[in-house]
Amino acid sequence: MKIEQLHELFLQCSSACTDTRKIKQNDLFFALKGGNFNGNEYAELALKNGAKYAIIDDVLFNTSPKTILVKNVLETLQKLASYHRSYLNTPIIALTGSNGKTTTKELINATLSQKYKTTATIGNLNNHIGVPLTLLSMTNNTEIGIVEMGANHQKEIAFLCNIAKPDYGYITNFGKAHLEGFGGIEGVIKGKSEMYDFLINNHRTVFVNGNDSIQTNKTKNANTFVFGKKNHGFDIDINFIEALPFVKSEYNELEIESQLIGDYNFNNIAAAIAIGNYFKVEDNDIKTAIENYTPVNNRSQIIQKDTNRIILDAYNANPTSMRAALLNFEKQPNSKKIAFIGDMFELGKEAKNEHQNMADFAISLNIDQVILIGENFFKTEIKSDRAKQFISFEDFKDNWLNNSKIKNVSILIKGSRGMALERVLEFI
C-alpha cells in the first residue's frame, strides 16, 4: 500500500496509537517492535479494543481484513507523519536544546493558544516515535503546530527535521547533556545545530536568544527573529527583573510575574514572549498566558508539605541544569536548606569528573546539608561534614531518610530521571 492510500485510511481514523492500553474507538494502531516486545502480537487485541486498522510487519499476524501488512511499521509511521504534515501544510515551530525544552514548549503553546488553535507535543514525546505521533495528532483545525525534538546522538535532530519540515525553530541552549552519545560539549553543539542547518538550507526562520553567543554565531546566515535584553538592537527587548522567588520579566512596559523559579527560566519565558510577539498575540494575552502557566511533572515545582518548602526538579538532570538549580536554591530566602541530588546519567567518560565537580560545587554553596545519592556520587571524594553519600535510593532511605525529622526547611530535589528522586516526597 502506498503512503497516499494509507493516508486516506488514516483520515478515516480518530488518531494514531502505539499502545493497546490507550486505544480509542477507530484508532489506527501501529504495531511497533522493541527490545522486549513485539507489537505485532497485540494487533488482534488492538482491533478488539476498537482500532479501525492495525499496521503490522509480520505476515504471521496478517489474520484480519483490518490488518495492513508493511515492510517496517516504524518507517511507515514516520513516512505517514511526514506525508500528513505536508498534506496539512500547517506552520510548524520546532524546538530542541539541552535544557528547558519541555517548559519552553509549554510556555510557547500557552502563549500562542491565546490567539490560535495549536497542537503541541504532549509531555516529552520528542523522539523518532513521539515526533511522528505529534504530527499525526494535528488536524485541519490546527493553525500552528509546536514540535519538541530530543536527541542524544548526532544526526538525530536532522532526521526529525526531515520528518517534521519545520517552518520555524528555536534551540533553548547548549549544555552538558547526553555527553556520552554526542561525544562531548562540541558534539552537543554540532548535534543540536542540525536544526539550524535545516532551517537555513530551507530558507526558514530561526528564533534567536541574542544574549547567547553560540546561538548568534550559528545563525549568522539565517533568517532570524532575535530577542534579548534592552539596548542591544534586537527585534524585541525583554528584560529580566528578578527571580525571588519567581521569575519576573519586563516587556513593552508590562511587568510579567511567572510561577516559575530560577533565573535560568527567564530565557524560556523570553522565548515564549518573543514568539508570541512574532505571531502578533496581544501583549496582555502574552502576559496572561505566562502568568497563568504552572509547572508540572517534577519540573521546578514548588510544593508545600507541612512546614517544609520543596523545589521538586527531579524530572531530569545534567551538569548544566543541576548547577543552575543549585545556584537558584542557594539564593532562596528561607532558613535551613537541604539539597537531595542524584546521579546524572549519559555522561560517558566524563561521569567521574562531572560528579566530583558537582559535589564540590554543591558543598561550596551556602546550603546547610548536601545529600548525594547514586553510584557516581558515592564514588566522589567528600571533605565536608555537611555532605553525606548514599550508593542508592534504598541506602539513602534506610540509613537517613527514615530516621530524620525534617521540619521548617527548604528542600531541593534534583536528579536524572532514572533516579526517580520524587520518591523522597513520600517520606517528608
Side-chain angles (χ1 to χ4, degrees):
M1 182 178 292
K2 294 182 178 179
I3 286 296
E4 295 90 333
Q5 295 171 293
L6 180 58
H7 187 253
E8 289 179 9
L9 295 181
F10 168 70
L11 294 178
Q12 301 171 19
C13 299
S14 53
S15 61
C17 185
T18 62
D19 188 339
T20 53
R21 296 166 297 184
K22 299 177 181 177
I23 287 284
K24 300 187 297 296
Q25 197 66 30
N26 291 325
D27 270 356
L28 179 60
F29 175 70
F30 287 85
L32 296 174
K33 291 194 287 269
N36 300 311
F37 65 92
N38 181 355
N40 288 280
E41 297 174 357
Y42 298 91
E44 186 177 339
L45 177 61
L47 295 170
K48 183 179 178 181
N49 288 350
K52 192 176 185 71
Y53 300 103
I55 310 297
I56 61 170
D57 52 14
D58 188 333
V59 69
L60 293 177
F61 299 92
N62 194 15
T63 57
S64 165
K66 293 185 175 182
T67 53
I68 299 171
L69 183 66
V70 298
K71 287 183 179 180
N72 184 293
V73 171
L74 176 58
E75 288 181 7
T76 299
L77 171 67
Q78 293 164 343
K79 289 177 180 177
L80 179 65
S82 190
Y83 184 89
H84 184 62
R85 183 266 178 275
S86 299
Y87 168 82
L88 292 177
N89 201 27
T90 300
I92 299 285
I93 303 168
L95 71 151
T96 189
S98 299
N99 303 299
K101 290 187 296 296
T102 301
T103 298
T104 304
K105 178 257 302 179
E106 295 291 342
L107 287 165
I108 293 169
N109 189 37
T111 301
L112 294 181
S113 63
Q114 295 285 318
K115 181 176 181 178
Y116 303 94
K117 292 178 180 176
T118 61
T119 300
T121 300
I122 296 174
N124 70 326
L125 292 174
N126 59 19
N127 63 4
H128 61 296
I129 297 171
V131 167
L133 289 175
T134 298
L135 295 171
L136 290 173
S137 71
M138 298 179 187
T139 69
N140 284 317
N141 293 324
T142 303
E143 294 176 307
I144 298 178
I146 305 157
V147 180
E148 179 182 334
M149 297 180 180
N152 58 18
H153 57 265
Q154 306 290 342
K155 304 298 182 185
E156 195 168 1
I157 294 299
F159 179 76
L160 295 176
C161 282
N162 281 321
I163 292 174
K165 303 180 182 69
D167 302 284
Y168 307 90
Y170 176 62
I171 301 178
T172 58
N173 48 47
F174 304 89
K176 293 181 177 180
H178 306 295
L179 295 180
E180 185 175 22
F182 279 117
I185 187 64
E186 290 303 319
V188 171
I189 295 170
K190 181 181 178 183
K192 298 295 183 182
S193 294
E194 290 165 9
M195 180 176 289
Y196 291 151
D197 297 337
F198 178 91
L199 295 166
I200 292 169
N201 291 337
N202 290 277
H203 310 291
R204 305 305 189 190
T205 299
V206 184
F207 296 109
V208 177
N209 177 355
N211 302 123
D212 184 322
S213 60
I214 300 175
Q215 292 191 35
T216 55
N217 287 335
K218 289 285 184 180
T219 56
K220 287 178 180 177
N221 299 319
N223 300 319
T224 60
F225 184 80
V226 185
F227 64 90
K229 294 176 183 176
K230 204 168 185 177
N231 301 323
H232 284 71
F234 299 142
D235 293 295
I236 179 174
D237 296 330
I238 304 166
N239 288 307
F240 172 77
I241 299 175
E242 65 176 12
L244 289 174
F246 300 111
V247 179
K248 284 185 183 178
S249 309
E250 185 271 328
Y251 152 70
N252 274 1
E253 299 183 355
L254 280 177
E255 186 174 293
I256 300 176
E257 183 170 0
S258 73
Q259 298 182 59
L260 289 163
I261 60 165
D263 50 11
Y264 52 88
N265 266 313
F266 167 70
N267 287 335
N268 303 333
I269 292 166
I273 294 171
I275 292 170
N277 172 274
Y278 180 89
F279 284 98
K280 304 191 184 321
V281 178
E282 294 289 336
D283 289 352
N284 283 323
D285 289 337
I286 293 174
K287 174 180 168 71
T288 296
I290 301 295
E291 293 190 337
N292 287 343
Y293 173 73
T294 305
V296 293
N297 297 330
N298 304 330
R299 290 182 172 91
S300 299
Q301 286 181 258
I302 301 291
I303 298 172
Q304 191 72 35
K305 289 198 74 173
D306 298 325
T307 60
N308 301 309
R309 182 177 182 270
I310 302 162
I311 299 175
L312 179 61
D313 197 8
Y315 182 79
N316 218 337
N318 57 56
T320 305
S321 67
M322 186 170 283
R323 185 182 180 89
L326 285 164
L327 276 171
N328 171 68
F329 185 54
E330 183 192 34
K331 295 175 186 175
Q332 297 304 305
N334 299 73
S335 53
K336 184 177 180 182
K337 297 183 180 73
I338 302 176
F340 300 120
I341 59 176
D343 276 0
M344 303 171 288
F345 295 164
E346 295 187 58
L347 296 179
K349 64 182 181 180
E350 299 296 327
K352 182 179 179 180
N353 287 337
E354 292 292 351
H355 282 86
Q356 184 65 60
N357 291 341
M358 193 59 62
D360 293 341
F361 178 70
I363 292 165
S364 75
L365 299 175
N366 185 26
I367 296 173
D368 297 277
Q369 197 158 24
V370 177
I371 307 297
L372 305 165
I373 307 162
E375 292 182 9
N376 286 299
F377 273 129
F378 190 72
K379 295 174 185 175
T380 58
E381 295 181 14
I382 301 303
K383 298 176 182 177
S384 171
D385 57 7
R386 290 187 294 112
K388 293 185 181 298
Q389 296 163 284
F390 301 93
I391 197 167
S392 66
F393 184 85
E394 288 68 28
D395 178 27
F396 162 59
K397 180 186 71 175
D398 295 341
N399 294 298
W400 193 90
L401 197 52
N402 282 335
N403 307 316
S404 300
K405 292 182 179 179
I406 305 174
K407 291 184 178 179
N408 302 313
V409 297
S410 288
I411 296 165
L412 171 67
I413 303 173
K414 180 73 175 173
S416 279
R417 180 83 305 268
M419 294 300 297
L421 285 192
E422 65 274 11
R423 291 177 287 174
V424 170
L425 292 178
E426 301 170 25
F427 303 90
I428 298 175

